[in-house]
Amino acid sequence: MSGPLLDRRDWLGRQAAGGLWLAGALAWPAPAAAAATAPPGQRAHVLRYAFPTAETGFDPAQISDIYSRTVTANIFEALYEYDHLARPFQIRPCLAEALPEVADDHTRFTVRLRRGVHFQDDPAFGGRPREVTAEDWIYSFKRLYDPALKSPSQASFEDLGIVGLRELRAAALQGRRAFDYDAAVPGLVALDRHTLQFRLREPRPRFIYAMAASDIWGVVAREVVQRYGDRIMEHPVGTGPFRLARWRRSSQIVLERNPTYREAVYDARPAPDDLEGQALLARLKGRRLPLLDRIEIAIVEEAQPRWLSFLAGEQDLLQIVPPEFVGQAIVGGQLAPHLLRRGIEARRVPAADVFYQVFNMEHPVVGGLAPERVALRRAIALGYDIDREIALVRRGEAVAAQGLTVPGTFGYDASLRSDATGHDPARARALLDLYGWRDRDGDGWREQPDGRPLTLEMLSQSDQTTRAMDEILKKSMDALGLRLDIRVGQWAENLKASRAGRFMMWRVGSSASTPDGQSALERAYGGSIGKANLSRMKLPAFDALYERLQALPDGPERAGLFRQANKLALAYMPYRMTVHRILCDLNHPGVIGYRRPVCWLDWWKYVDVQPPTT
């Protein structure tokens, strides 16, 4: 894949596309250690797999990368969750007793909490069981607004418009004093010990999606945060099915079953015609959750050792076959015979993601809304050989993207087509000529309309897949007479530069975190400059559409506004959307119940791995 994958709420870590450098064999814990959490006389049920990028820590308020968030989503729990088997998605209560009571045109939500839910045992509680209360939720949400934490999720949380949190944060910033966790917030009220009420500034019909994000909305206890202080990233204490057992930073993460997890059994509502879902439900219905005793995660950044480790049986699950090895795994759209004979299973699904080239709309060369600058961006888009990327880099496992919204979310329109996309070098050259981007000195490279030299600059990374993308882009720009300078750096530094607006172009990706497409449009919303809006685009017409979309319920009117917003983004081209991936996951025969989630991360409790019989 091309570079990192980002999420609407935060900027995620690099996804499955490391280089092809060789590395040593994975060092998994000995089987005796893995059996430690199994009942006496039974073998442990252990899931082993690898992350392609290192984690950063496990405090929901402070993390932003997808891999840390995958861990926190299974240690912490939210008020609501997604049904593991339902397609299309269904939301159901988790730590809430029922769906919220909604009033005042979707600006007031009352949630009644499940009673008797306890945090995992921890010394912070003095050896006593600690029940979750409404005040714990209020404290957890306030933490996202504490300036001292610099929470990457605060900006997206702000979009929800909970009354009073903005002012509480502003008071701490302006007064340069400690954040007041005890101050009353009108939008976060504990009506009693087990009833929580939210008040929003404006209607938010899809507020429940945020309440289902266990990775950042998971409830935390004040005593735990106070006990561990600056080490809270190392001491996650939630209510979820698993707890952190061992952590070797950037090397290995081990979780084990939470022995105090409440009584919960496997249940789901797959569609009647969903044969796979119905079969899983019949096999697992009624079993106590979680099904696993342990999860052992290795950090294997390079694609080749990650692939070979799976083939050698050192991993039970390979989430996303690296692009370099798709041809070895999938032949003619089917699992390769040599894998099929071993009982390995494959699942190929369209991903709810999109990749794109970002243009800095504040840059003096590629930015701005002047016709010649728009023409340059559109010419770059038309000149890029997207079919070559899909064939050579993606190995056919992708489809060309059109708009900002992604498959599987409300607002995605598979029929949307625009003459601003596709590969048409002739039109690109004509567009450049028409708006003055010509070669005036005969050296083969175009100059700016005012005659100054022109060099495009693209931030990039050093992994093999990204290098292949860079080569295609370079050849495409050479064919247009546009000089391109590739600037290779660390992903974290590129992200820092892009968020500060110190770049011309960058390549990145984004995945859906909710079933709604509003988050995808945030990338071009003026109110999110420096946050989700890496392009720094500010177009009043687009912003007005975005704000109308937030308050409207789902339906034809909202779908029509999505189409208008996508067309505006295509016309002004703050991003050159490239592809939506087709993802392929593989698992060995002992893995039961795995199904790639659409946009949620808390799926470990629904998966089992049968212990070896010998």
Side-chain angles (χ1 to χ4, degrees), residues 183-249:
V185 174
L188 282 173
V189 178
L191 300 182
D192 58 43
R193 182 176 174 84
H194 295 100
T195 307
L196 179 66
Q197 188 171 90
F198 300 91
R199 297 298 300 266
L200 311 182
R201 293 190 298 269
E202 298 172 346
R204 290 293 182 266
R206 288 155 294 279
F207 184 67
I208 195 170
Y209 295 165
M211 291 190 281
S214 59
D215 51 332
I216 60 170
W217 273 57
V219 64
V220 301
R222 190 168 187 168
E223 305 98 295
V224 173
V225 175
Q226 291 176 339
R227 177 183 178 91
Y228 296 110
D230 292 341
R231 296 182 295 121
I232 190 62
M233 292 277 268
E234 307 167 23
H235 294 277
V237 178
T239 65
F242 298 100
R243 65 182 184 184
L244 185 65
R246 183 164 67 250
W247 179 27
R248 295 204 304 267
R249 189 180 295 273

Side-chain angles (χ1 to χ4, degrees), residues 60-75:
Q62 298 188 69
I63 58 175
S64 62
D65 63 284
I66 188 69
Y67 303 106
S68 298
R69 290 173 47 240
T70 298
V71 175
T72 59
N74 291 277
I75 294 175

Side-chain angles (χ1 to χ4, degrees), residues 32-103:
T37 57
Q42 295 184 22
R43 292 177 179 267
H45 294 238
V46 181
L47 174 66
R48 305 167 302 162
Y49 76 115
F51 286 169
T53 298
E55 74 299 328
T56 56
F58 309 116
D59 177 16
Q62 298 188 69
I63 58 175
S64 62
D65 63 284
I66 188 69
Y67 303 106
S68 298
R69 290 173 47 240
T70 298
V71 175
T72 59
N74 291 277
I75 294 175
F76 298 90
E77 291 180 297
L79 292 166
Y80 299 95
E81 65 182 3
Y82 293 90
D83 187 307
H84 180 58
L85 298 183
R87 306 290 190 276
F89 76 94
Q90 291 182 18
I91 287 183
R92 63 187 188 184
C94 182
L95 296 190
E97 280 189 344
L99 295 179
E101 301 168 15
V102 183

Side-chain angles (χ1 to χ4, degrees), residues 77-220:
E77 291 180 297
L79 292 166
Y80 299 95
E81 65 182 3
Y82 293 90
D83 187 307
H84 180 58
L85 298 183
R87 306 290 190 276
F89 76 94
Q90 291 182 18
I91 287 183
R92 63 187 188 184
C94 182
L95 296 190
E97 280 189 344
L99 295 179
E101 301 168 15
V102 183
D104 300 340
D105 190 24
H106 294 94
T107 62
R108 179 157 57 93
F109 294 77
T110 303
V111 180
R112 306 194 185 280
L113 305 181
R114 187 188 300 268
R115 296 169 184 265
V117 174
H118 293 86
F119 288 102
Q120 300 161 11
D121 290 342
D122 189 86
F125 304 133
R128 296 180 297 276
R130 172 64 159 80
E131 186 185 24
V132 176
T133 70
E135 290 292 345
D136 292 317
W137 288 101
I138 292 174
Y139 173 75
S140 299
F141 300 150
K142 284 180 176 178
R143 289 190 74 228
L144 299 176
Y145 270 68
D146 186 342
L149 293 181
K150 300 179 180 179
S151 175
S153 301
Q154 183 271 326
S156 295
F157 201 85
E158 173 62 22
D159 288 343
L160 302 174
I162 296 177
V163 176
L165 281 179
R166 176 193 294 172
E167 292 76 13
L168 186 62
R169 177 180 173 86
L173 288 169
Q174 294 169 5
R176 296 184 179 180
R177 58 179 182 269
F179 186 78
D180 187 357
Y181 281 96
D182 296 315
V185 174
L188 282 173
V189 178
L191 300 182
D192 58 43
R193 182 176 174 84
H194 295 100
T195 307
L196 179 66
Q197 188 171 90
F198 300 91
R199 297 298 300 266
L200 311 182
R201 293 190 298 269
E202 298 172 346
R204 290 293 182 266
R206 288 155 294 279
F207 184 67
I208 195 170
Y209 295 165
M211 291 190 281
S214 59
D215 51 332
I216 60 170
W217 273 57
V219 64
V220 301

Side-chain angles (χ1 to χ4, degrees), residues 11-29:
W11 306 111
L12 309 184
R14 293 173 56 194
Q15 286 282 321
L20 279 175
W21 301 288
L22 292 172
L26 299 184
W28 294 104

Side-chain angles (χ1 to χ4, degrees), residues 390-405:
I390 292 173
L392 298 184
V393 179
R394 308 290 180 180
R395 271 62 171 187
E397 298 292 288
V399 296
Q402 299 293 326
L404 292 170
T405 44

